Amino acid sequence: MKLGLIGETLGHSLSPAIHQNLFAQLGISGTYDLIEIPREDLGEHIPRLLGVMDGFNVTIPYKTDVIPFLAGLSPEAARIGAVNTVAVRDGKGYGYNTDYLGFSRTLDAIGADPDGRDAVVLGTGGAARAVIQCLFDRGAAYIRVVTRKREAVGGVFRDFADAHGADIITYGELEAGCGAFLLVNATPCGMSPHAGVSPVSERVVRKCHAVVDLIYNPAETELLRMARESGADCANGLLMLASQGAAAEEIWLGRELPADLAPQLAARLEQGA
Ligand code: NAP
């Protein structure tokens, strides 16, 4: 299988390690290349890639820009408005969002079922959209999205939040109110090299039953350290990263893979294997 990742700058991507790990685990012979494409050349490269690849992942800043080149979208990719996995069939590209699937499987792995519960999502970027869509689809009763500056949140995100019945609040409002069943960090706050800081206080964390941090470097952020100490069910972004990789392989291979594949891969990545 000829696979890869397209993006503008791919320097330290973990994707080749993830997919090579999965190839070895599944006994598949495949290649996974990093393909950097300057923005002005996207229109020339995507049709060419559709002619020679079996599939590819898509990262920043092309998760939305790739859509006009595709023949179809999965329902969740269409609802989120972003694609991170393309499967090529008969020379045509079909787009999926496996961040959504990876997040959903992360919830399952820690037994945090959002159905009928409330959730708080920190951040208003692309990752937050995939998380909100997943929580909404899985029946979350009430979603609050937390921003540093409410006036700066763009109209497109506001419309997306409205369509999902999500309220946009500030960190001050979150700190003043109570916790939630589930707290998800979809911001880079706490990520290396700025580890050791948390986007929310220990007071908020103590009132949450489950905490997912999309960050995977460091493996335990300050937010997750507090959550673990307060006894919450926790997951870091490595499990989501491994799960979105495994979900992409399922799409490319056209078959279901063992459920323990992603947790085992996340553990190997955490050990640097
Ligand atoms: P992004 O667009 O750069 O940032 C998301 C949002 O975070 C921003 O819209 C901003 O919202 C808020 N933010 C930015 N810098 C912040 C800071 N210093 N402190 C507090 N809030 C800040 O990123 P993204 O692509 O959505 O990704 C978000 C995080 O998820 C990143 O850490 C990324 O690495 C991670 N991620 C992980 C996976 C995985 O598989 N594990 C997949 C996708 C993304 P406001 O301005 O409204 O506050």
Side-chain angles (χ1 to χ4, degrees):
M1 289 224 294
K2 201 167 161 37
L3 303 166
L5 170 67
I6 69 163
E8 196 167 34
T9 318
L10 299 172
H12 298 99
S13 171
L14 274 180
S15 292
I18 286 174
H19 290 283
Q20 272 138 22
N21 239 295
L22 288 168
F23 292 160
Q25 222 40 35
L26 297 166
I28 291 168
S29 108
T31 56
Y32 191 96
D33 298 318
L34 293 180
I35 305 162
E36 290 190 350
I37 304 177
R39 186 177 276 282
E40 62 276 16
D41 295 345
L42 198 65
E44 171 199 331
H45 280 271
I46 304 259
R48 185 184 61 77
L49 292 175
L50 292 174
V52 295
M53 312 272 296
D54 296 299
F56 49 90
N57 288 124
V58 183
T59 191
I60 293 167
Y62 301 138
K63 289 184 178 185
T64 301
D65 297 356
V66 74
I67 291 175
F69 299 97
L70 303 177
L73 296 181
S74 69
E76 65 276 2
R79 290 197 299 272
I80 298 163
V83 159
N84 80 327
T85 300
V86 173
V88 182
R89 298 182 195 114
D90 299 326
K92 290 188 177 137
Y94 297 88
Y96 300 81
N97 191 304
T98 66
D99 285 340
Y100 171 102
L101 299 172
F103 177 71
S104 191
R105 289 178 189 184
T106 298
L107 293 181
D108 293 338
I110 61 167
D113 182 356
D115 191 13
R117 313 287 193 142
D118 71 321
V120 166
V121 180
L122 310 178
T124 59
R129 285 173 71 111
V131 166
I132 292 164
Q133 187 66 55
C134 177
L135 294 172
F136 179 83
D137 290 348
R138 291 191 55 167
Y142 179 42
I143 302 169
R144 281 172 293 163
V145 191
V146 189
T147 178
R148 290 167 301 174
K149 213 169 173 196
R150 199 177 352 228
E151 317 81 75
V153 176
V156 173
F157 190 91
R158 274 175 197 283
D159 291 346
F160 182 81
D162 278 351
H164 295 78
D167 281 336
I168 300 175
I169 65 168
T170 63
Y171 285 90
E173 286 163 346
L174 177 68
E175 295 286 340
C178 44
F181 171 73
L182 173 67
L183 174 74
V184 183
N185 179 28
T187 81
C189 181
M191 186 161 70
S192 182
H194 306 292
V197 292
S198 165
V200 297
S201 73
E202 192 157 8
R203 209 174 71 81
V204 171
V205 177
R206 272 202 238 109
K207 290 182 195 148
C208 297
H209 177 86
V211 178
V212 177
D213 197 331
L214 267 44
I215 292 172
Y216 47 82
N217 183 17
E220 185 175 77
T221 57
E222 178 64 7
L223 174 68
L224 287 183
R225 183 195 63 74
M226 294 190 297
R228 175 176 52 78
E229 285 180 0
S230 85
D233 296 321
C234 306
N236 65 17
L238 265 183
L239 186 53
M240 174 163 159
L241 193 70
S243 300
Q244 65 78 24
E249 292 286 341
E250 287 186 341
I251 289 164
W252 293 326
L253 292 168
R255 64 180 158 95
E256 232 174 83
L257 298 176
D260 55 2
L261 198 68
Q264 285 173 4
L265 172 58
R268 281 198 302 279
L269 290 171
E270 201 157 335
Q271 288 153 13

Coordinates of all heavy atoms in Angstrom, one line a residue, residues 118-120 142 144 146 169-183 200-201 203-209:
D118 N -23.1 16.1 30.7 CA -22.6 17.4 30.2 C -21.1 17.4 30.0 O -20.4 16.6 30.6 CB -23.0 18.6 31.2 CG -22.3 18.5 32.5 OD1 -22.1 17.3 32.9 OD2 -21.9 19.5 33.0
A119 N -20.7 18.2 29.1 CA -19.2 18.2 28.7 C -18.7 19.6 28.5 O -19.5 20.5 28.1 CB -19.0 17.4 27.4
V120 N -17.5 19.8 28.9 CA -16.8 21.1 28.7 C -15.6 20.9 27.7 O -14.8 20.0 27.9 CB -16.3 21.7 30.0 CG1 -15.3 22.8 29.8 CG2 -17.4 22.1 30.9
Y142 N -25.5 18.5 27.2 CA -25.2 19.9 27.2 C -23.7 20.1 27.0 O -22.9 19.5 27.7 CB -25.6 20.5 28.5 CG -25.3 22.0 28.7 CD1 -25.5 22.9 27.7 CD2 -24.9 22.5 30.0 CE1 -25.3 24.3 27.9 CE2 -24.6 23.8 30.2 CZ -24.8 24.7 29.1 OH -24.6 26.0 29.3
R144 N -20.5 22.9 26.8 CA -20.0 24.3 26.9 C -18.6 24.3 26.3 O -17.7 23.4 26.5 CB -19.9 24.7 28.4 CG -21.2 25.1 28.9 CD -21.2 25.3 30.4 NE -20.9 24.1 31.1 CZ -20.5 24.0 32.4 NH1 -20.2 25.1 33.1 NH2 -20.3 22.8 32.9
V146 N -15.1 26.6 25.8 CA -14.5 27.6 26.6 C -13.4 28.3 25.7 O -12.6 27.7 25.1 CB -13.8 27.1 27.8 CG1 -13.3 28.2 28.7 CG2 -14.8 26.2 28.6
I169 N -18.4 30.0 26.5 CA -18.2 30.7 27.7 C -16.7 31.0 27.9 O -15.9 30.5 27.1 CB -18.7 29.8 29.0 CG1 -17.8 28.5 29.1 CG2 -20.2 29.5 28.9 CD1 -18.0 27.8 30.4
T170 N -16.4 31.8 28.9 CA -15.0 32.2 29.1 C -14.4 31.3 30.2 O -15.2 30.7 31.0 CB -14.9 33.7 29.5 OG1 -15.6 33.8 30.8 CG2 -15.5 34.6 28.5
Y171 N -13.1 31.4 30.4 CA -12.5 30.6 31.5 C -12.9 31.1 32.8 O -13.1 30.4 33.8 CB -10.9 30.7 31.4 CG -10.4 29.8 30.2 CD1 -10.3 30.2 28.9 CD2 -10.1 28.4 30.5 CE1 -9.9 29.4 27.9 CE2 -9.7 27.6 29.5 CZ -9.6 28.1 28.2 OH -9.2 27.3 27.2
G172 N -13.2 32.5 32.9 CA -13.7 33.0 34.2 C -15.0 32.4 34.5 O -15.3 32.1 35.7
E173 N -15.9 32.3 33.5 CA -17.2 31.7 33.8 C -17.1 30.3 34.2 O -17.8 29.8 35.0 CB -18.1 31.9 32.5 CG -18.6 33.4 32.4 CD -19.1 33.7 30.9 OE1 -18.9 32.9 30.0 OE2 -19.7 34.8 30.8
L174 N -16.2 29.5 33.5 CA -16.0 28.1 33.9 C -15.5 28.0 35.3 O -16.0 27.2 36.1 CB -15.0 27.5 33.0 CG -14.6 26.0 33.3 CD1 -15.9 25.1 33.0 CD2 -13.5 25.5 32.5
E175 N -14.5 28.9 35.7 CA -14.0 28.8 37.1 C -15.0 29.2 38.1 O -15.1 28.6 39.2 CB -12.8 29.7 37.2 CG -11.6 29.3 36.3 CD -10.8 28.1 36.9 OE1 -10.9 27.8 38.1 OE2 -10.1 27.5 36.1
A176 N -15.9 30.1 37.7 CA -17.0 30.5 38.7 C -18.1 29.5 38.8 O -18.8 29.4 39.8 CB -17.6 31.9 38.2
G177 N -18.3 28.7 37.8 CA -19.4 27.7 37.8 C -18.9 26.4 38.4 O -17.9 26.3 39.0
C178 N -19.7 25.3 38.0 CA -19.3 24.0 38.5 C -18.6 23.2 37.5 O -18.3 23.7 36.4 CB -20.5 23.3 39.1 SG -21.9 23.4 38.0
G179 N -18.2 22.0 37.7 CA -17.5 21.2 36.8 C -18.4 20.5 35.8 O -19.4 21.1 35.4
A180 N -18.0 19.4 35.3 CA -18.8 18.7 34.3 C -18.5 17.2 34.4 O -17.5 16.8 35.0 CB -18.4 19.2 32.9
F181 N -19.3 16.4 33.7 CA -19.1 14.9 33.7 C -17.7 14.7 32.9 O -16.8 14.0 33.4 CB -20.2 14.2 32.9 CG -19.9 12.8 32.6 CD1 -19.9 11.8 33.6 CD2 -19.5 12.4 31.3 CE1 -19.5 10.5 33.3 CE2 -19.2 11.1 31.0 CZ -19.2 10.1 32.0
L182 N -17.6 15.5 31.8 CA -16.4 15.3 31.0 C -15.7 16.6 30.7 O -16.4 17.6 30.3 CB -16.8 14.6 29.7 CG -15.7 14.5 28.6 CD1 -14.6 13.5 29.0 CD2 -16.3 14.0 27.3
L183 N -14.4 16.7 30.8 CA -13.6 17.9 30.4 C -12.6 17.5 29.3 O -11.9 16.5 29.5 CB -12.9 18.4 31.7 CG -11.9 19.6 31.4 CD1 -12.7 20.9 31.2 CD2 -11.0 19.8 32.6
V200 N -7.0 25.1 33.2 CA -8.0 25.3 34.2 C -7.4 24.9 35.6 O -6.4 24.2 35.7 CB -9.3 24.5 34.0 CG1 -10.0 24.9 32.7 CG2 -9.0 23.0 34.0
S201 N -8.1 25.4 36.6 CA -7.5 25.2 38.0 C -7.9 23.8 38.5 O -8.8 23.2 38.0 CB -8.1 26.3 38.9 OG -9.5 26.0 39.2
R203 N -9.5 23.3 41.1 CA -10.8 23.3 41.6 C -11.8 22.8 40.6 O -12.7 22.0 40.9 CB -11.1 24.8 42.0 CG -12.1 25.0 43.1 CD -12.2 26.5 43.4 NE -12.9 27.2 42.3 CZ -14.3 27.3 42.2 NH1 -15.0 26.7 43.1 NH2 -14.8 27.9 41.2
V204 N -11.6 23.2 39.3 CA -12.5 22.8 38.2 C -12.3 21.3 38.0 O -13.2 20.5 37.9 CB -12.2 23.6 36.9 CG1 -13.0 23.0 35.7 CG2 -12.6 25.0 37.1
V205 N -11.0 20.9 37.9 CA -10.6 19.5 37.6 C -11.3 18.5 38.6 O -11.8 17.5 38.3 CB -9.1 19.3 37.6 CG1 -8.8 17.8 37.3 CG2 -8.5 20.2 36.5
R206 N -11.2 18.9 39.9 CA -11.8 18.1 41.0 C -13.3 17.8 40.8 O -13.8 16.9 41.3 CB -11.5 18.7 42.3 CG -10.1 18.2 42.9 CD -10.1 18.3 44.4 NE -9.0 19.2 44.7 CZ -9.1 20.4 45.2 NH1 -10.3 20.9 45.5 NH2 -8.0 21.1 45.5
K207 N -13.9 18.7 40.0 CA -15.4 18.5 39.9 C -15.7 17.8 38.6 O -16.9 17.8 38.1 CB -16.1 19.9 39.9 CG -16.0 20.6 41.2 CD -16.8 21.9 41.2 CE -16.5 22.7 42.4 NZ -16.5 24.1 42.1
C208 N -14.7 17.2 37.9 CA -15.0 16.5 36.6 C -14.8 15.0 36.8 O -13.8 14.6 37.5 CB -14.1 17.0 35.5 SG -14.3 18.7 35.2
H209 N -15.7 14.2 36.2 CA -15.6 12.8 36.4 C -14.6 12.1 35.5 O -13.9 11.2 35.8 CB -17.0 12.2 36.1 CG -17.1 10.8 36.2 ND1 -17.3 10.1 37.3 CD2 -17.0 9.8 35.2 CE1 -17.3 8.8 37.1 NE2 -17.1 8.6 35.8

